[in-house]
Amino acid sequence: MCVCHIKKEKQNRVFKGIAEKGKSTMGWFFGFKLHLIINDKGELLFFYLTKGNVDDRNIQLMTAMTKEVFGKFFGDKGYISKALSELLFQDGIQLITKASKNMKTQNLSDVDAILLRKRALVESVNDELKNMCKIEHTRHRSVKGFLVNIVAALAAYCFFPKKPSL
């Protein structure tokens, strides 16, 4: 979540020393990352807010997020890590991601391959958070206001009668 335009990061006084520069598929940004765990019904199970420069494969982050969940996790290519996959497997979680270009192809069951294609469900949830709940804007006047905006948007999303689902 971008808190200001990347060119104005040095002028931003509200998030000075708090937000960091990061890179996403859309390019560089100055702000934070919102990590989500959702179920097949589009319901939020867990969320975690980190600085923009925190790696998605961060072991401490993933162990904190996955303490009370189990089963299969479908993630994007940002979560590809052998060490992370093995750690989660020890906790009863199977991490399934698309293979990157330099990886060997994975032996996925037909069900897992179909569910991996349905990973766009997470992107639909992110889209609803951004467009309907207005979770991302760049005019925050305080850190408290920023956090209240995030929590309010997540709470509002939880009360939506119809969520994206499989």
Side-chain angles (χ1 to χ4, degrees), residues 126-135 153 156-157 160 162:
N126 284 336
D127 184 58
E128 286 198 6
L129 285 170
K130 286 181 182 176
N131 295 325
M132 296 173 74
C133 297
K134 307 293 185 202
I135 200 167
Y157 174 79
F160 281 3
K162 189 171 181 183

Side-chain angles (χ1 to χ4, degrees), residues 26-134:
M26 301 303 291
W28 290 95
F29 68 95
F30 180 72
F32 301 93
K33 287 183 182 178
L34 181 65
H35 304 268
L36 299 173
I37 296 178
I38 62 169
N39 62 11
D40 59 334
K41 297 175 186 132
E43 300 167 340
L44 288 176
L45 299 178
F46 200 87
F47 72 93
Y48 207 92
L49 187 69
T50 62
K51 293 182 177 186
N53 64 350
V54 173
D55 189 9
D56 292 341
R57 300 166 293 186
N58 186 313
I59 300 293
Q60 291 83 16
L61 168 69
M62 290 305 289
T63 52
M65 286 181 68
T66 59
K67 274 184 191 170
E68 301 188 22
V69 291
F70 57 90
K72 295 182 180 185
F73 270 34
F74 296 91
D76 60 7
K77 292 181 184 179
Y79 292 96
I80 295 176
S81 167
K82 187 174 184 179
L84 178 62
S85 182
E86 290 172 358
L87 178 77
L88 291 176
F89 190 75
Q90 291 172 356
D91 292 338
I93 299 169
Q94 182 182 1
L95 180 64
I96 301 171
T97 60
K98 286 187 177 179
S100 60
K101 293 178 184 177
N102 60 352
M103 287 177 61
K104 296 178 186 175
T105 57
Q106 298 173 329
N107 294 328
L108 295 176
S109 69
D110 293 337
V111 174
D112 289 345
I114 290 169
L115 288 173
L116 185 57
R117 280 188 259 142
K118 301 291 184 184
R119 204 199 68 74
L121 176 65
V122 176
E123 301 305 327
S124 298
V125 171
N126 284 336
D127 184 58
E128 286 198 6
L129 285 170
K130 286 181 182 176
N131 295 325
M132 296 173 74
C133 297
K134 307 293 185 202

